[in-house]
Amino acid sequence: DAGVTQSPTHLIKTRGQQVTLRCSPKSGHDTVSWYQQALGQGPQFIFQYYEEEERQRGNFPDRFSGHQFPNYSSELNVNALLLGDSALYLCASSLYGIPTDTQYFGPGTRLTVL
Amino acid sequence: AQSVSQHNHHVILSEAASLELGCNYSYGGTVNLFWYVQYPGQHLQLLLKYFSGDPLVKGIKGFEAEFIKSKFSFNLRKPSVQWSDTAEYFCAVNAPPGGSYIPTFGRGTSLIVHP
């Protein structure tokens, strides 16, 4: 049973560029959440997708956008990259609307912005 | 909105020592509480969770946590740590239905266990 997978593992970009990160949820899960984990910090919620729609959003600018596909996989897009966007980006999958459900996390994508 | 504080940012212990990591949250309503662990080079994994019932929760690898509602705390404990417990530990809380069921994470505690 495959868990949550993310690609790529590492990415280096320069300021102003755009980046797309990808996530495939755990089998049987229909909801994908994205988090940003800066060095020395806990994960911060970016947004959550269910039924191909953004359901909740954290305190992140519009430069951060996403998409969910019919097979439940998801993409995170970040435009006009800033140095401060350097972080580990985590994807987590779960079942929608079940707050007691456990979120399963992927290994993350390490984004470095130069 | 809910928030989480983890007071110990760095903890260094010798093997067989006892461990207690503090976690306090702020939210006046019903909460669900979680402890996650991130071993070096690995993804975040759930250690244990509390939703209701017995406030003493047992998780994997000998960890346990106690929910004390009056203190808004959910401290993580282990009687005897091992070198393999070296990791980052994150406390998280969500607060349905009045708050958000998206978990809010603390900033984490880095635990180093010396053999």
Side-chain angles (χ1 to χ4, degrees):
Chain A
D1 175 25
V4 179
T5 60
Q6 292 185 246
S7 63
T9 306
H10 296 87
L11 208 49
I12 299 175
K13 293 286 188 177
T14 55
R15 280 178 297 175
Q17 285 190 310
Q18 178 263 345
V19 69
T20 298
L21 311 181
R22 295 175 177 82
C23 170
S24 290
K26 177 179 167 60
S27 177
H29 284 176
D30 56 12
T31 302
V32 173
S33 301
W34 287 92
Y35 294 81
Q36 180 193 67
Q37 187 178 9
L39 201 60
Q41 301 295 320
Q44 276 199 296
F45 174 70
I46 302 175
F47 43 54
Q48 183 183 76
Y49 275 83
Y50 169 69
E51 288 189 333
E52 303 179 48
E53 289 187 15
E54 183 183 294
R55 297 293 174 162
Q56 288 198 50
R57 189 178 183 92
N59 189 24
F60 279 80
D62 292 344
R63 298 186 297 109
F64 289 77
S65 63
H67 188 77
Q68 186 179 34
F69 299 93
N71 67 353
Y72 308 120
S73 67
S74 176
E75 288 182 349
L76 163 65
N77 300 292
V78 187
N79 294 321
L81 285 167
L82 303 174
L83 294 179
D85 295 331
S86 295
L88 181 67
Y89 288 84
L90 299 172
C91 169
S93 74
S94 58
L95 288 172
Y96 186 73
I98 304 178
T100 55
D101 186 42
T102 299
Q103 284 197 327
Y104 287 82
F105 285 83
T109 293
R110 173 75 61 187
L111 173 64
T112 302
V113 182
L114 302 176
Chain B
Q2 63 267 26
S3 65
V4 179
S5 295
Q6 292 183 244
H7 313 295
N8 314 103
H9 297 152
H10 300 279
V11 174
I12 301 174
L13 296 173
S14 297
E15 275 193 319
S18 64
L19 170 72
E20 181 159 3
L21 301 182
C23 172
N24 287 92
Y25 65 92
S26 64
Y27 187 76
T30 302
V31 293
N32 299 319
L33 296 153
F34 308 82
W35 275 98
Y36 282 86
V37 62
Q38 193 170 32
Y39 296 105
Q42 296 188 28
H43 58 275
L44 270 174
Q45 303 171 44
L46 184 71
L47 264 182
L48 48 78
K49 58 186 178 182
Y50 171 80
F51 299 140
S52 62
D54 188 346
L56 186 61
V57 180
K58 294 193 182 299
I60 61 172
K61 304 188 180 185
F63 286 91
E64 65 178 30
E66 184 175 14
F67 171 50
I68 303 179
K69 189 174 182 179
S70 61
K71 295 184 178 180
F72 298 89
S73 71
F74 190 56
N75 292 353
L76 181 70
R77 300 194 294 246
K78 186 171 184 179
S80 176
V81 294
Q82 300 172 313
W83 174 78
S84 58
D85 293 324
T86 294
E88 290 276 340
Y89 291 82
F90 296 93
C91 182
V93 60
N94 69 10
S100 171
Y101 68 83
I102 299 296
T104 299
F105 286 81
R107 64 172 290 179
T109 296
S110 173
L111 171 66
I112 296 175
V113 180
H114 288 301

